Every structure is written in C-alpha cells, then in structure tokens.
Amino acid sequence: MSKPVLVSGAGPVGLIMAAELARYGTPVRVIDRLPARTTQSRALAIWPRTLELLDAAGCADAFMATGLRADAVSIHAGNTTLARIPFGTIASSFNYLLMIAQSETERLLEDHLGTFGHTVERGTELTDFTGRDDGVSCTLRHAGGRIETVEAAWLIGCDGAHSLVRSTLGLAFAGDTLPMGFVIADVHVAGLAIPPDEPAIFWHPDGAVMFFPISRGHYRIIADLGPVALHRPDLGEIQALVDRRGPGGVILSDPVWLSDFGVNERRVRDYRRGRVFLAGDAAHIHSPAGGQGMNMGMQDAFNLAWKLALVERQDASPRLLDSYSSERSGVARQILSDSSRMTRIVLLRSHLAQRVRNFIVKQGFRIPVVRRAIANRLSGILIGYPDSPLNMGSARGLRGPGPGQRLVSWPCSGQDNMPPRFVLAARNSAAARAMIARHPALLMPEPCLPPDENGIWLIRPDGYVAAAAKCGNWADIDMALKNMAGSQNVRTYDGIERH
C-alpha cells in the first residue's frame, strides 16, 4: 500500500483537504487532537466562490439545505440606513451569502468525507515529524498515550493559528496584533427591525455593533471595546452595548456562547517546505471583517488537493506543487489587506473621520456599480492567480477569461474516486482530439464548449484558466500541459510514447 497523505487538523480546512484527496482516490489520513468536533458556531460565512467549489466537490446541496441564505448586507447609523449591498448581482449561480455555523459546516464535511469511506481519527495528536526526500516520518500520540510512527508521503498542517506544523518548521508568522478588544455573543434577538436573514452593521461614535443571523431569531453579535484588556462578557454587557450603539428596541436572551477575542493579522511567507504544507489559519490569520477567513482556508485546500493528487499518481511533475504557495500567498496578501482596511474603517475613533466615512458610504453606495463591485469583491469570484507559474498564453481578443482567472462555470473535472483532470474548452475538432490523445493523463476525454468559439481554453480542476489561445494556436496549450506533466505521460500525436 502506498504511503498516505497525513492531514493534521479536522476543522473545515482539514476536512475539505481530506475529502478532496479521498475523492481523487489518494490515500489519506486525517487526525485531530480533540475528542469531538466543535459545538460552537465560530466562522459563519460561506461566500459564493467557496460554494462553487463545494458544488464541484459534490456537497453544496447539503450546505444550502442547512444554512441560511442572506441576499444583502446593510450598514446603519442608529435608525438611519447608510447603505445596503445586495448580492443578487454577483456573477455566480450562488449569488448570495450562506450563513451557517461552523459546527454544522464541520458536521456536513465529516459526513461528506464518510462517503469515501474515511473518518476523522479523533483524540490523535501530531507531536513531531521529520521530513525526508521520499516522505515525512510523523509521530502521533493517541488517546490513552499510545505512540504511533506514521510514514506519510506528505504532511499538511491544517492545525490552526497555533500550528505545531508551522512552529516545527520554524516558519515566521509575521504581522501585527491590533490594540483592540472585541466581544462576541451568540444569542436570541428580538425587536431588530431589519430582514431576519440580513447581516447588519451599526456604526456609533463609540464603536460598532454587528448582527449576523445564524438561524431564525438567533444571531452572532460582535462589538469592539477599544484598547481595553480582554475579558469574558456577560449578557448584560452585550445588551448595554446593543442599547447604546444599535437601533433601539432590541432585546437579547438565551445566550449560547459569550466570549472575547483579539485580532491578529499574520501570515507565513512560504506555505511549503519540502513535503510539508500549511493551509488555513496555520498559514494566515486576520480580522473577521468581511468573513473571509474560513473561505480562504477552504480554498487553500481546494487549490492544493488536485495538485497533490496528480503528483501522487505521477500524472504530473512534482514541480506542479510549487504553484501552491505562490498562488495562495498572493491571495492571502490581498485578503489581509482588504480585511485590515475594512477593520480600520469600522473602528475609526475621530468623530470628524466618522462623519466623513458615513457621508462617503451613504453617497457612494447609492451608485449601482459601486454596490456591484463591493459585492463581487466580498464574494470571492474575483480571486485569481494572475502571476501563477502555471499560466500560459493570452485571451486577448477573445470573449472569455484570461490565464489565472476563474471561469464562471466549468464542467466537473474529477468524478468520485477518479483522478482530477483538466478540461479542454475548444471546438470539437481533429486538433482538439489530438491534443487530448497527447496528454491523456491530464485531460478529460472530451472537449467542452469554449466561452468563445474562436478560442481555446485549458481549464484547471479548480475552475481557473491555465492557458488560453486563439483557434489554431495549440502550441500554448501544449506547452502548458507539458510544463505540468511528467515526461512519461506526454505522447506524440500518433500515440507513440515520448522518451
């Protein structure tokens, strides 16, 4: 039996990582030191781009059946609505925000993982590891104290902000801690005069209070406290903050979770060292503004899993894996910048700056193009890899996305227990069929319709464009595939193996 990929950490990121590897037929084990999955709501927001990827993985329907669909987010000052940003203009079949407690996200992903015959090994902790050229020797401690040595093909640290994998690698987690405390409460809310499925932010001279619906009548409330020592709040303190900063008439009851937290903005420079990778909070943490954290981590997993599956099957060169860190660290840099900017806008303390902010938001967000731009930015559909080492060619002069950009919809490129495959989007011609015959280990057996009949697109398993060219310019497509393929998987046009 081949060595498994070991995934350390069974939060949403680790579960997606394990499930995608299992879906592609790659041996995998996923462990978590805790005896049971979280019962807390924690991360709530799943944005359209993540839903698209969950749909390609085959489990989006379960999420949509469980979560609460939010069609807009609104910003208020007292009883005055400054802005309302609808999501219906987002260019995705999932043009809304799905609100779902992290406890439910983990349950659904664990069920999804189970469809491939895998379970989370709970109460099992990674305590040490040693990387080698041909694998990673990992030491595990099981509940009860039993020690196990696992020879893994690869190790993926999905083990959170205090990652043992990151610290063992000695990777710097560079960044800052905001001099600001926050309180959080999951409570029943009555008397809030906004749509029950709409997140709402209330700005006040003293700070902000934010309402995020979890289920009917049940909300997550977050408020900043200024530069004070962190402390666990009681319901009375949260009620007082809501009374002062909110619209009035809001009654809180039945708290499920009351806590405090600080905000760190940190990331590693490199997501990989040898056969060890980082994903999710182990690689990047930031303000919850924009609700991007869990989405970033899950998209890390989707990005890495198909690449690792192809390399493990020897259908692609190991150099394919070099693109993971460069692609995802670029996204993290942008998201951290966006979330930091949003946090500082919300937490303005100068009353003059607050008045200017409120005026600009009220006037600027009346413009439809501004509202659409903000919605698309939040949704994740604009995330791309313009500087990816996998990119080849150009879509200049064609109606369709360029290399590194997302295709709005793409055919499923990997069935259950089948390896991931690229999709060739081109007219069905002898040249297209010859290209598929030349790269049978990387391409789906049939081409699909292109965005523009005058072009050719090579679509990655995660729905991003790897290469684009005008009809007849097959060299760009061929070069992109040759750069990823192991030499043993490239054939000549007459089907003779290339040596």
Coordinates of all heavy atoms in Angstrom, one line a residue, residues 313-402:
R313 N -0.1 10.4 -8.2 CA -0.4 9.4 -9.3 C 0.7 9.4 -10.3 O 0.7 8.6 -11.2 CB -1.7 9.7 -9.9 CG -3.0 9.4 -9.1 CD -4.2 9.8 -9.9 NE -4.3 9.0 -11.1 CZ -4.8 7.8 -11.3 NH1 -5.3 7.2 -10.2 NH2 -4.8 7.2 -12.4
Q314 N 1.6 10.4 -10.2 CA 2.7 10.5 -11.2 C 2.1 10.9 -12.5 O 2.8 10.7 -13.6 CB 3.6 9.3 -11.3 CG 4.3 8.9 -10.0 CD 5.2 7.7 -10.1 OE1 5.3 7.1 -11.2 NE2 5.9 7.4 -9.0
D315 N 1.0 11.5 -12.5 CA 0.4 12.1 -13.7 C 0.9 13.5 -14.0 O 0.7 14.0 -15.1 CB -1.1 12.1 -13.6 CG -1.8 10.8 -13.7 OD1 -1.1 9.8 -14.2 OD2 -3.0 10.6 -13.3
A316 N 1.5 14.1 -13.0 CA 2.1 15.4 -13.2 C 3.4 15.5 -12.5 O 3.7 14.7 -11.5 CB 1.1 16.5 -12.6
S317 N 4.2 16.4 -12.9 CA 5.6 16.6 -12.3 C 5.4 17.2 -10.9 O 4.6 18.0 -10.7 CB 6.4 17.5 -13.2 OG 7.5 18.0 -12.5
P318 N 6.3 16.8 -10.0 CA 6.3 17.4 -8.7 C 6.4 19.0 -8.7 O 6.0 19.6 -7.7 CB 7.5 16.8 -8.0 CG 7.7 15.5 -8.7 CD 7.3 15.7 -10.1
R319 N 6.9 19.5 -9.8 CA 7.0 21.0 -9.8 C 5.7 21.7 -9.9 O 5.6 22.9 -9.6 CB 7.9 21.4 -11.0 CG 7.4 21.1 -12.4 CD 8.2 21.7 -13.5 NE 7.8 21.2 -14.8 CZ 8.3 20.1 -15.4 NH1 9.2 19.4 -14.8 NH2 7.8 19.7 -16.6
L320 N 4.6 20.9 -10.2 CA 3.3 21.5 -10.1 C 3.0 22.0 -8.7 O 2.3 23.0 -8.6 CB 2.3 20.4 -10.5 CG 0.8 20.7 -10.4 CD1 0.4 21.9 -11.3 CD2 -0.1 19.5 -10.6
L321 N 3.5 21.4 -7.7 CA 3.3 21.7 -6.3 C 3.9 23.1 -6.0 O 3.5 23.7 -5.0 CB 3.7 20.7 -5.4 CG 3.0 19.3 -5.5 CD1 3.7 18.3 -4.7 CD2 1.6 19.4 -5.1
D322 N 4.9 23.5 -6.7 CA 5.5 24.8 -6.5 C 4.5 26.0 -6.6 O 4.7 27.0 -6.1 CB 6.7 25.0 -7.4 CG 7.8 24.0 -7.2 OD1 7.9 23.4 -6.1 OD2 8.6 23.9 -8.1
S323 N 3.5 25.7 -7.4 CA 2.5 26.8 -7.6 C 1.6 27.1 -6.4 O 1.0 28.2 -6.3 CB 1.6 26.5 -8.9 OG 0.8 25.3 -8.6
Y324 N 1.5 26.1 -5.5 CA 0.5 26.3 -4.4 C 0.9 27.5 -3.6 O 0.0 28.4 -3.3 CB 0.5 25.0 -3.6 CG -0.2 25.2 -2.2 CD1 -1.6 25.4 -2.2 CD2 0.5 25.1 -1.0 CE1 -2.3 25.6 -1.0 CE2 -0.2 25.2 0.2 CZ -1.6 25.5 0.2 OH -2.2 25.6 1.4
S325 N 2.1 27.6 -3.1 CA 2.5 28.7 -2.2 C 2.4 30.0 -2.9 O 1.9 31.0 -2.4 CB 3.9 28.5 -1.7 OG 4.2 29.5 -0.7
S326 N 2.9 30.1 -4.2 CA 2.9 31.4 -4.9 C 1.4 31.8 -5.1 O 1.1 33.0 -5.0 CB 3.7 31.3 -6.2 OG 3.1 30.4 -7.1
E327 N 0.6 30.9 -5.5 CA -0.8 31.3 -5.8 C -1.6 31.7 -4.5 O -2.2 32.8 -4.4 CB -1.6 30.2 -6.4 CG -1.1 29.9 -7.9 CD -1.9 28.8 -8.5 OE1 -2.7 28.1 -7.9 OE2 -1.6 28.6 -9.8
R328 N -1.5 30.9 -3.5 CA -2.3 31.2 -2.3 C -1.7 32.2 -1.4 O -2.5 33.0 -0.7 CB -2.5 29.9 -1.5 CG -3.3 28.8 -2.2 CD -4.6 29.3 -2.7 NE -5.5 29.8 -1.6 CZ -6.6 30.5 -1.8 NH1 -7.0 30.8 -3.0 NH2 -7.3 30.8 -0.8
S329 N -0.4 32.4 -1.4 CA 0.1 33.5 -0.6 C -0.2 34.9 -1.2 O -0.4 35.8 -0.4 CB 1.7 33.4 -0.4 OG 2.3 33.4 -1.7
G330 N -0.3 34.9 -2.5 CA -0.8 36.2 -3.1 C -2.2 36.5 -2.8 O -2.5 37.7 -2.5
V331 N -3.1 35.5 -2.7 CA -4.5 35.7 -2.3 C -4.5 36.2 -0.8 O -5.2 37.1 -0.5 CB -5.3 34.4 -2.5 CG1 -6.7 34.6 -1.9 CG2 -5.4 34.1 -4.0
A332 N -3.7 35.5 0.0 CA -3.7 35.9 1.4 C -3.3 37.4 1.6 O -3.8 38.1 2.4 CB -2.8 35.0 2.2
R333 N -2.3 37.7 0.9 CA -1.8 39.1 1.0 C -2.9 40.1 0.6 O -3.1 41.1 1.3 CB -0.6 39.3 0.0 CG 0.1 40.6 0.1 CD 1.5 40.6 -0.6 NE 1.4 40.1 -1.9 CZ 1.9 38.9 -2.4 NH1 2.5 38.1 -1.5 NH2 1.8 38.6 -3.7
Q334 N -3.7 39.8 -0.4 CA -4.7 40.7 -0.8 C -5.9 40.7 0.2 O -6.4 41.8 0.6 CB -5.3 40.3 -2.2 CG -6.4 41.2 -2.7 CD -5.9 42.7 -2.9 OE1 -5.0 42.9 -3.6 NE2 -6.5 43.6 -2.2
I335 N -6.3 39.5 0.7 CA -7.4 39.4 1.6 C -7.0 40.1 3.0 O -7.8 40.8 3.6 CB -7.8 38.0 1.9 CG1 -8.3 37.4 0.5 CG2 -8.9 37.9 2.9 CD1 -9.6 38.0 0.0
L336 N -5.8 39.9 3.4 CA -5.4 40.5 4.7 C -5.4 42.1 4.5 O -5.8 42.8 5.4 CB -4.0 40.1 5.1 CG -3.9 38.9 6.1 CD1 -4.5 37.6 5.5 CD2 -2.5 38.7 6.6
S337 N -5.0 42.5 3.4 CA -5.0 44.0 3.1 C -6.5 44.5 3.1 O -6.8 45.5 3.8 CB -4.4 44.3 1.8 OG -4.5 45.7 1.5
D338 N -7.4 43.8 2.5 CA -8.8 44.2 2.4 C -9.4 44.2 3.8 O -10.1 45.1 4.2 CB -9.6 43.3 1.5 CG -9.3 43.5 0.0 OD1 -8.5 44.4 -0.3 OD2 -9.7 42.7 -0.8
S339 N -9.2 43.1 4.6 CA -9.8 43.0 5.9 C -9.3 44.0 6.9 O -10.0 44.5 7.7 CB -9.7 41.5 6.4 OG -8.3 41.2 6.7
S340 N -8.0 44.3 6.7 CA -7.3 45.3 7.6 C -7.9 46.7 7.3 O -8.3 47.4 8.2 CB -5.8 45.3 7.4 OG -5.2 46.3 8.1
R341 N -8.1 46.9 6.0 CA -8.7 48.2 5.6 C -10.2 48.3 6.2 O -10.6 49.4 6.7 CB -8.7 48.4 4.1 CG -9.1 49.8 3.6 CD -9.0 49.8 2.1 NE -7.6 49.5 1.6 CZ -7.3 48.4 0.9 NH1 -8.3 47.5 0.6 NH2 -6.1 48.1 0.5
M342 N -10.9 47.3 6.0 CA -12.3 47.3 6.5 C -12.4 47.5 8.0 O -13.2 48.2 8.5 CB -13.1 46.0 6.1 CG -13.5 46.0 4.6 SD -14.5 44.6 4.2 CE -13.3 43.3 4.1
T343 N -11.5 46.8 8.7 CA -11.5 46.9 10.2 C -11.2 48.3 10.6 O -11.8 48.8 11.5 CB -10.4 45.9 10.7 OG1 -10.8 44.6 10.4 CG2 -10.4 46.0 12.3
R344 N -10.2 48.9 10.0 CA -9.8 50.3 10.4 C -10.9 51.3 10.0 O -11.1 52.3 10.7 CB -8.5 50.6 9.8 CG -7.3 49.9 10.5 CD -6.0 49.8 9.7 NE -4.9 49.3 10.5 CZ -4.8 48.0 10.9 NH1 -5.7 47.1 10.4 NH2 -3.8 47.6 11.6
I345 N -11.6 51.0 9.0 CA -12.7 51.9 8.6 C -13.9 51.8 9.7 O -14.4 52.8 10.1 CB -13.3 51.6 7.2 CG1 -12.3 52.0 6.1 CG2 -14.7 52.3 7.0 CD1 -12.6 51.6 4.8
V346 N -14.2 50.6 10.1 CA -15.2 50.4 11.1 C -14.8 51.0 12.4 O -15.6 51.6 13.2 CB -15.5 48.9 11.2 CG1 -16.4 48.6 12.5 CG2 -16.2 48.3 10.0
L347 N -13.5 50.9 12.8 CA -13.0 51.3 14.1 C -12.5 52.7 14.2 O -11.8 53.1 15.1 CB -11.9 50.3 14.6 CG -12.4 48.9 14.6 CD1 -11.2 48.0 15.1 CD2 -13.6 48.7 15.5
L348 N -12.8 53.6 13.2 CA -12.4 55.0 13.3 C -12.9 55.6 14.6 O -14.0 55.4 15.0 CB -13.0 55.8 12.1 CG -12.4 55.5 10.7 CD1 -13.2 56.2 9.7 CD2 -10.9 56.0 10.7
R349 N -12.0 56.3 15.3 CA -12.3 56.9 16.6 C -12.6 58.4 16.5 O -13.3 59.0 17.3 CB -11.2 56.6 17.6 CG -11.2 55.2 18.1 CD -12.5 55.0 19.0 NE -12.6 53.7 19.5 CZ -13.4 52.7 19.1 NH1 -14.1 52.9 18.0 NH2 -13.4 51.5 19.7
S350 N -12.0 59.1 15.5 CA -12.2 60.5 15.4 C -13.6 60.8 14.9 O -14.1 60.2 13.9 CB -11.2 61.1 14.4 OG -11.7 62.3 13.9
H351 N -14.3 61.6 15.6 CA -15.7 61.9 15.2 C -15.8 62.6 13.9 O -16.8 62.3 13.1 CB -16.4 62.8 16.3 CG -16.7 62.1 17.6 ND1 -17.4 62.6 18.6 CD2 -16.4 60.8 18.0 CE1 -17.5 61.7 19.6 NE2 -16.9 60.6 19.2
L352 N -14.8 63.4 13.5 CA -14.8 64.0 12.2 C -14.6 62.9 11.1 O -15.3 62.9 10.1 CB -13.7 65.1 12.1 CG -13.5 65.7 10.7 CD1 -14.8 66.4 10.3 CD2 -12.3 66.6 10.7
A353 N -13.7 62.0 11.4 CA -13.4 60.9 10.4 C -14.7 60.1 10.3 O -15.0 59.6 9.2 CB -12.2 60.1 10.8
Q354 N -15.4 59.8 11.4 CA -16.6 59.0 11.3 C -17.7 59.7 10.5 O -18.3 59.0 9.7 CB -17.1 58.8 12.7 CG -16.3 57.9 13.6 CD -16.8 57.8 15.0 OE1 -17.6 58.5 15.4 NE2 -16.2 56.9 15.8
R355 N -17.8 61.0 10.6 CA -18.8 61.7 9.8 C -18.5 61.7 8.3 O -19.4 61.5 7.5 CB -19.0 63.2 10.3 CG -19.7 63.3 11.7 CD -20.1 64.7 11.9 NE -19.0 65.6 12.1 CZ -18.3 65.9 13.2 NH1 -18.7 65.3 14.4 NH2 -17.3 66.7 13.3
V356 N -17.2 61.9 8.0 CA -16.8 61.8 6.6 C -17.0 60.4 6.1 O -17.5 60.2 5.0 CB -15.3 62.2 6.5 CG1 -14.8 61.9 5.1 CG2 -15.1 63.7 6.9
R357 N -16.7 59.4 6.9 CA -16.9 58.0 6.4 C -18.4 57.7 6.2 O -18.7 57.2 5.1 CB -16.4 57.0 7.5 CG -16.7 55.6 7.3 CD -16.6 54.8 8.6 NE -17.6 55.2 9.6 CZ -17.6 54.8 10.9 NH1 -16.7 54.0 11.3 NH2 -18.6 55.3 11.7
N358 N -19.2 58.1 7.1 CA -20.6 57.9 6.9 C -21.2 58.6 5.7 O -22.0 58.0 4.9 CB -21.4 58.4 8.1 CG -21.1 57.5 9.4 OD1 -20.3 56.6 9.3 ND2 -21.8 57.8 10.5
F359 N -20.7 59.8 5.4 CA -21.2 60.6 4.3 C -20.7 59.9 3.0 O -21.5 59.7 2.0 CB -20.6 62.0 4.3 CG -21.0 62.8 3.1 CD1 -22.2 63.4 3.0 CD2 -20.1 63.0 2.1 CE1 -22.6 64.1 1.8 CE2 -20.4 63.7 0.9 CZ -21.6 64.3 0.8
I360 N -19.5 59.5 2.9 CA -19.0 58.8 1.7 C -19.7 57.5 1.4 O -20.1 57.2 0.3 CB -17.4 58.6 1.8 CG1 -16.7 59.9 1.8 CG2 -16.9 57.7 0.7 CD1 -15.2 59.8 2.1
V361 N -19.9 56.7 2.5 CA -20.6 55.5 2.3 C -22.1 55.7 1.8 O -22.5 55.0 0.9 CB -20.6 54.6 3.6 CG1 -21.6 53.5 3.6 CG2 -19.2 54.1 3.9
K362 N -22.7 56.7 2.5 CA -24.1 56.9 2.1 C -24.3 57.4 0.7 O -25.2 56.9 -0.1 CB -24.8 57.9 3.1 CG -26.3 58.1 2.8 CD -26.9 58.9 4.0 CE -28.4 59.0 3.8 NZ -29.1 59.7 4.9
Q363 N -23.4 58.3 0.2 CA -23.4 58.8 -1.1 C -22.9 57.8 -2.1 O -23.5 57.5 -3.2 CB -22.7 60.1 -1.2 CG -23.2 61.2 -0.3 CD -24.7 61.5 -0.6 OE1 -25.1 61.6 -1.7 NE2 -25.5 61.6 0.5
G364 N -21.7 57.2 -1.8 CA -21.1 56.3 -2.8 C -21.8 55.0 -3.1 O -21.9 54.5 -4.2
F365 N -22.5 54.5 -2.0 CA -23.2 53.2 -2.2 C -24.5 53.3 -2.8 O -25.2 52.4 -3.0 CB -23.3 52.5 -0.8 CG -22.0 51.8 -0.4 CD1 -20.8 52.5 -0.4 CD2 -22.0 50.5 -0.1 CE1 -19.6 51.9 0.0 CE2 -20.8 49.8 0.3 CZ -19.6 50.6 0.3
R366 N -24.9 54.6 -3.2 CA -26.1 54.8 -4.0 C -25.9 54.4 -5.4 O -26.8 54.2 -6.2 CB -26.6 56.2 -3.9 CG -27.2 56.6 -2.6 CD -27.5 58.1 -2.5 NE -28.2 58.5 -1.3 CZ -28.5 59.7 -1.0 NH1 -28.2 60.7 -1.8 NH2 -29.1 60.0 0.2
I367 N -24.6 54.3 -5.8 CA -24.2 54.1 -7.2 C -24.2 52.6 -7.5 O -23.4 51.8 -6.8 CB -22.8 54.7 -7.5 CG1 -22.8 56.2 -7.2 CG2 -22.4 54.5 -9.0 CD1 -21.4 56.8 -7.2
P368 N -25.0 52.1 -8.4 CA -25.1 50.6 -8.6 C -23.7 50.0 -8.9 O -23.5 48.9 -8.4 CB -26.0 50.5 -9.8 CG -26.9 51.7 -9.7 CD -26.0 52.8 -9.2
V369 N -22.9 50.6 -9.7 CA -21.6 50.0 -10.0 C -20.7 49.8 -8.8 O -20.0 48.8 -8.7 CB -20.9 50.8 -11.1 CG1 -20.4 52.1 -10.6 CG2 -19.7 50.0 -11.7
V370 N -20.9 50.7 -7.8 CA -20.1 50.6 -6.6 C -20.6 49.4 -5.8 O -19.8 48.6 -5.2 CB -20.2 51.9 -5.8 CG1 -19.5 51.7 -4.4 CG2 -19.5 53.0 -6.5
R371 N -21.9 49.3 -5.6 CA -22.5 48.2 -4.9 C -22.1 46.9 -5.5 O -21.8 45.9 -4.8 CB -24.0 48.3 -4.8 CG -24.5 49.5 -4.0 CD -26.0 49.4 -3.7 NE -26.8 49.3 -4.8 CZ -27.4 50.3 -5.4 NH1 -27.2 51.5 -5.0 NH2 -28.2 50.1 -6.5
R372 N -22.2 46.8 -6.9 CA -21.8 45.5 -7.5 C -20.3 45.2 -7.3 O -20.0 44.0 -7.0 CB -22.1 45.6 -9.0 CG -23.5 45.5 -9.4 CD -23.7 45.2 -10.9 NE -23.1 46.2 -11.7 CZ -23.8 47.3 -12.1 NH1 -25.0 47.5 -11.8 NH2 -23.2 48.2 -12.9
A373 N -19.5 46.2 -7.3 CA -18.0 46.0 -7.1 C -17.7 45.4 -5.7 O -16.9 44.5 -5.6 CB -17.3 47.3 -7.4
I374 N -18.4 46.0 -4.7 CA -18.2 45.6 -3.4 C -18.7 44.1 -3.2 O -18.0 43.3 -2.6 CB -18.9 46.5 -2.4 CG1 -18.3 47.9 -2.4 CG2 -18.8 45.9 -1.0 CD1 -16.8 48.0 -2.0
A375 N -19.9 43.8 -3.7 CA -20.4 42.5 -3.6 C -19.5 41.5 -4.3 O -19.3 40.4 -3.7 CB -21.8 42.5 -4.2
N376 N -19.1 41.8 -5.5 CA -18.2 40.8 -6.2 C -16.9 40.6 -5.4 O -16.3 39.5 -5.4 CB -17.9 41.3 -7.6 CG -19.1 41.1 -8.5 OD1 -19.9 40.2 -8.3 ND2 -19.2 41.9 -9.6
R377 N -16.4 41.7 -4.8 CA -15.1 41.6 -4.1 C -15.3 40.7 -2.9 O -14.5 39.8 -2.6 CB -14.7 43.0 -3.6 CG -13.3 43.1 -2.9 CD -12.2 43.2 -3.9 NE -11.0 43.5 -3.3 CZ -9.9 43.8 -4.0 NH1 -9.9 43.8 -5.4 NH2 -8.7 44.1 -3.4
L378 N -16.4 40.9 -2.1 CA -16.7 40.1 -1.0 C -16.9 38.6 -1.4 O -16.5 37.7 -0.6 CB -17.9 40.6 -0.2 CG -17.7 41.9 0.5 CD1 -19.1 42.4 1.0 CD2 -16.7 41.8 1.7
S379 N -17.5 38.4 -2.5 CA -18.0 37.0 -2.9 C -16.8 36.1 -3.2 O -17.0 34.8 -3.1 CB -18.8 37.1 -4.1 OG -18.0 37.4 -5.3
G380 N -15.7 36.6 -3.5 CA -14.5 35.7 -3.8 C -14.4 35.4 -5.3 O -13.4 34.7 -5.7
I381 N -15.4 35.8 -6.1 CA -15.3 35.4 -7.5 C -14.2 36.2 -8.3 O -13.9 35.8 -9.4 CB -16.7 35.6 -8.3 CG1 -17.1 37.1 -8.3 CG2 -17.8 34.8 -7.6 CD1 -18.2 37.4 -9.3
L382 N -13.7 37.3 -7.7 CA -12.7 38.0 -8.4 C -11.3 37.5 -8.0 O -10.3 37.9 -8.6 CB -12.7 39.5 -8.0 CG -14.0 40.2 -8.4 CD1 -13.9 41.7 -8.0 CD2 -14.3 40.1 -9.9
I383 N -11.2 36.5 -7.1 CA -9.9 35.9 -6.7 C -9.4 35.2 -8.0 O -10.1 34.5 -8.7 CB -10.1 34.9 -5.6 CG1 -10.4 35.6 -4.3 CG2 -8.8 34.0 -5.4 CD1 -10.8 34.7 -3.1
G384 N -8.1 35.5 -8.2 CA -7.5 34.8 -9.4 C -6.0 34.7 -9.1 O -5.5 35.0 -8.1
Y385 N -5.3 34.1 -10.1 CA -3.9 33.8 -10.0 C -3.2 34.4 -11.2 O -2.6 33.7 -12.0 CB -3.6 32.3 -9.9 CG -4.4 31.7 -8.8 CD1 -5.3 30.6 -9.1 CD2 -4.3 32.1 -7.5 CE1 -6.0 30.0 -8.1 CE2 -5.0 31.5 -6.4 CZ -5.9 30.4 -6.7 OH -6.6 29.8 -5.7
P386 N -3.1 35.8 -11.3 CA -2.5 36.4 -12.5 C -1.1 36.1 -12.7 O -0.6 36.2 -13.8 CB -2.8 37.9 -12.3 CG -3.0 38.0 -10.8 CD -3.6 36.8 -10.3
D387 N -0.4 35.8 -11.6 CA 1.1 35.6 -11.6 C 1.5 34.1 -11.4 O 2.6 33.8 -11.1 CB 1.8 36.5 -10.6 CG 1.5 38.0 -10.7 OD1 1.5 38.4 -11.9 OD2 1.2 38.6 -9.7
S388 N 0.5 33.2 -11.6 CA 0.8 31.8 -11.4 C 1.8 31.3 -12.4 O 1.8 31.6 -13.6 CB -0.5 31.0 -11.6 OG -0.2 29.6 -11.6
P389 N 2.7 30.5 -11.9 CA 3.7 29.9 -12.9 C 3.0 28.9 -13.8 O 3.7 28.4 -14.8 CB 4.7 29.2 -11.9 CG 3.9 28.9 -10.7 CD 3.0 30.1 -10.5
L390 N 1.8 28.6 -13.6 CA 1.1 27.6 -14.5 C 0.5 28.3 -15.7 O 0.1 27.7 -16.7 CB -0.1 26.9 -13.7 CG 0.3 26.2 -12.5 CD1 -0.9 25.4 -11.9 CD2 1.5 25.2 -12.7
N391 N 0.4 29.7 -15.7 CA -0.3 30.4 -16.7 C 0.5 30.4 -18.0 O 1.7 30.6 -18.0 CB -0.5 31.8 -16.3 CG -1.5 32.0 -15.2 OD1 -2.2 31.0 -14.8 ND2 -1.6 33.2 -14.6
M392 N -0.3 30.2 -19.1 CA 0.3 30.3 -20.5 C -0.7 31.0 -21.4 O -1.9 30.9 -21.2 CB 0.7 28.9 -21.0 CG 1.8 28.2 -20.2 SD 3.4 28.8 -20.5 CE 3.7 28.2 -22.1
G393 N -0.1 31.6 -22.4 CA -1.0 32.2 -23.5 C -1.7 33.4 -23.1 O -1.3 34.1 -22.1
S394 N -2.7 33.8 -23.8 CA -3.5 35.0 -23.6 C -4.9 34.9 -24.2 O -5.1 34.2 -25.2 CB -2.8 36.2 -24.2 OG -3.6 37.4 -24.2
A395 N -5.8 35.6 -23.6 CA -7.2 35.6 -24.1 C -7.5 36.9 -24.8 O -8.6 37.3 -25.0 CB -8.2 35.4 -23.0
R396 N -6.4 37.7 -25.1 CA -6.6 39.0 -25.8 C -7.4 38.8 -27.1 O -7.0 37.9 -27.9 CB -5.3 39.6 -26.0 CG -5.3 41.1 -26.5 CD -4.0 41.7 -26.4 NE -3.4 41.7 -25.1 CZ -2.1 41.6 -24.8 NH1 -1.2 41.5 -25.8 NH2 -1.7 41.6 -23.5
G397 N -8.4 39.6 -27.3 CA -9.2 39.5 -28.5 C -10.3 38.4 -28.4 O -11.0 38.3 -29.4
L398 N -10.4 37.7 -27.3 CA -11.4 36.7 -27.2 C -12.4 37.1 -26.1 O -12.1 37.8 -25.1 CB -10.8 35.4 -26.8 CG -9.8 34.8 -27.8 CD1 -9.0 33.6 -27.2 CD2 -10.5 34.3 -29.1
R399 N -13.6 36.6 -26.2 CA -14.6 36.8 -25.1 C -14.5 35.7 -24.1 O -15.1 34.6 -24.3 CB -16.0 36.8 -25.7 CG -16.3 38.0 -26.7 CD -17.7 38.1 -27.2 NE -18.2 36.8 -27.6 CZ -18.1 36.3 -28.9 NH1 -17.4 37.0 -29.8 NH2 -18.6 35.1 -29.2
G400 N -13.8 35.9 -23.1 CA -13.6 34.8 -22.1 C -12.5 35.2 -21.2 O -11.7 36.1 -21.4
P401 N -12.3 34.5 -20.1 CA -11.3 34.8 -19.1 C -9.9 34.5 -19.6 O -9.7 33.6 -20.4 CB -11.7 33.9 -17.9 CG -12.4 32.7 -18.5 CD -13.1 33.3 -19.7
G402 N -9.0 35.3 -19.0 CA -7.6 35.0 -19.3 C -6.9 34.1 -18.4 O -7.5 33.7 -17.4

